[in-house]
């Protein structure tokens, strides 16, 4: 379907809209210790309108200026710093992130509804001061995809099964006015049933068939995740550690289209 550069070939021009839509639902984490390495990957992916996810390591190293660089390059940006603190502190953090023009950021649902609502209020406060800003999507982390049933029960101390805990947190996030949750693709369908199809799910733990699971416990292929109703797919090492990251990303987008 694509010509290998990230552009849809002329004989498939009718598929451009679908290709563009699925590309924008692919999130690629820039999990690097410095900007130079992140830029190398960005150069390889140039022309693919994916989301760029900036996690703790790079955000703490590069700071707000790199977020502005990504926005200037035309990327949608998800700042993945998983805020979890008292409501007033999270409100201030949300206000600062919104001022950077980010498209999405996240908080931990375990912080409770008051904390999650404070994040929403902080973002709204930034927009009220500067109407040129957009209201970012605010997503709550339910359970990390590295958390197994045994770890959740025996170490974290939460009883029950993972799916029930995820849905409970998702309902709390919706109650607090958030836009969606980070969850395993295995829980996307039950979250939609509980919170509605427009309540967004951002799903890490995406692994193409035959790929290493690395440190993920609850995984699906890209096609499976799309069929389950995932709105955004976070795909890291299968792209970033691939011999040809660009081709790996294009292959995943094609699989999403065919789901």
């Amino acid at each position: 379907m694509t010509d290998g550069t990230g552009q849809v070939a002329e004989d498939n021009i009718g598929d451009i809209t679908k290709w563009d839509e699925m590309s924008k639902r692919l999130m690629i984490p820039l999990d690097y210790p410095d900007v130079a390495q992140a830029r190398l990957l960005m150069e390889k992916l140039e022309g693919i309108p994916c989301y760029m996810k900036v996690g703790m390591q790079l955000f703490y190293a590069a700071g707000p200026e790199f977020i502005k660089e990504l926005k200037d390059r035309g990327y949608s940006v998800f700042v993945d710093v998983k805020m979890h603190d008292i409501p007033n502190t999270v409100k201030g953090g949300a206000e600062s992130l919104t001022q950077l023009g980010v498209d999405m950021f996240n908080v931990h649902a375990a912080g409770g509804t008051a904390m999650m609502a404070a994040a929403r209020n902080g973002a709204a406060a930034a927009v009220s001061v500067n109407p040129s800003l957009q209201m970012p999507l605010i997503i709550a982390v339910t359970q990390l995809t590295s958390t197994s049933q045994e770890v959740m029960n025996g170490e974290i101390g939460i009883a029950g099964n993972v799916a029930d805990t995820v849905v409970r947190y998702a309902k709390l996030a919706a109650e607090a006015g958030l836009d969606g949750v980070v969850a395993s693709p295995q829980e996307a369908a039950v979250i939609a049933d509980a919170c509605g199809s427009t309540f967004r799910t951002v799903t890490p733990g995406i692994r193409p068939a035959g790929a290493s699971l690395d440190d993920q416990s609850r995984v699906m292929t890209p096609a499976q995740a799309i069929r389950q109703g995932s709105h955004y797919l976070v795909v890291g090492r299968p792209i970033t550690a691939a011999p040809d990251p660009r081709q790996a990303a294009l292959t995943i987008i094609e699989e999403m289209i065919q789901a």
Side-chain angles (χ1 to χ4, degrees):
M1 184 176 295
T2 62
D3 61 8
T5 67
Q7 302 300 317
V8 177
E10 289 183 7
D11 59 348
N12 290 308
I13 200 70
D15 295 317
I16 288 178
T17 299
K18 190 70 172 176
W19 187 86
D20 193 62
E21 174 199 342
M22 289 300 176
S23 298
K24 292 176 179 177
R25 292 172 64 179
L26 174 63
M27 290 184 164
I28 299 180
L30 299 175
D31 290 336
Y32 297 103
D34 56 59
V35 170
Q37 293 183 58
R39 286 179 181 145
L40 286 175
L41 179 68
M42 290 159 59
E43 289 171 5
K44 295 173 182 176
L45 299 175
E46 188 171 356
I48 301 176
C50 55
Y51 241 97
M52 288 297 182
K53 185 174 82 70
V54 178
M56 296 179 190
Q57 184 180 26
L58 185 57
F59 187 72
Y60 295 158
E65 289 304 315
F66 183 62
I67 303 301
K68 294 176 182 176
E69 177 182 334
L70 287 172
K71 293 301 298 179
D72 288 344
R73 286 176 177 240
Y75 286 110
S76 294
V77 180
F78 171 22
V79 175
D80 178 17
V81 291
K82 301 180 179 71
M83 289 188 287
H84 188 173
D85 213 311
I86 63 172
N88 193 58
T89 298
V90 169
K91 179 181 178 183
E95 189 168 357
S96 294
L97 287 175
T98 303
Q99 289 168 351
L100 294 179
V102 305
D103 300 274
M104 182 186 295
F105 67 86
N106 57 5
V107 301
H108 266 290
T113 53
M115 189 206 75
M116 289 189 280
R120 186 82 182 174
N121 292 339
V127 173
S128 69
V129 172
N130 183 359
S132 68
L133 294 170
Q134 65 173 355
M135 189 69 179
L137 297 173
I138 307 175
I139 307 297
V141 178
T142 54
Q143 288 294 312
L144 300 175
T145 51
S146 59
T147 301
S148 65
Q149 181 78 40
E150 293 74 22
V151 168
M152 191 187 80
N153 295 156
E155 297 183 20
I156 301 175
I158 298 176
N161 62 56
V162 171
D164 289 343
T165 300
V166 167
V167 170
R168 179 165 57 84
Y169 278 148
K171 289 179 177 178
L172 291 174
E175 180 183 328
L178 269 56
D179 301 288
V181 291
V182 179
S184 158
Q186 295 180 9
E187 287 105 38
V190 293
I191 289 169
D193 288 341
C195 302
S197 60
T198 60
F199 188 73
R200 296 168 179 84
T201 49
V202 177
T203 56
I206 305 298
R207 291 291 182 270
S212 170
L213 298 184
D214 299 306
D215 56 357
Q216 305 287 351
S217 296
R218 308 193 314 281
V219 301
M220 279 189 180
T221 67
Q224 288 171 332
I226 291 293
R227 288 195 293 267
Q228 286 293 309
S230 295
H231 293 84
Y232 298 98
L233 276 57
V234 181
V235 185
R237 282 161 286 192
I239 293 174
T240 60
D244 185 345
R246 182 181 196 84
Q247 188 55 53
L250 293 175
T251 298
I252 287 170
I253 293 167
E254 296 290 353
E255 184 177 343
M256 293 166 68
I257 291 171
Q258 298 301 320

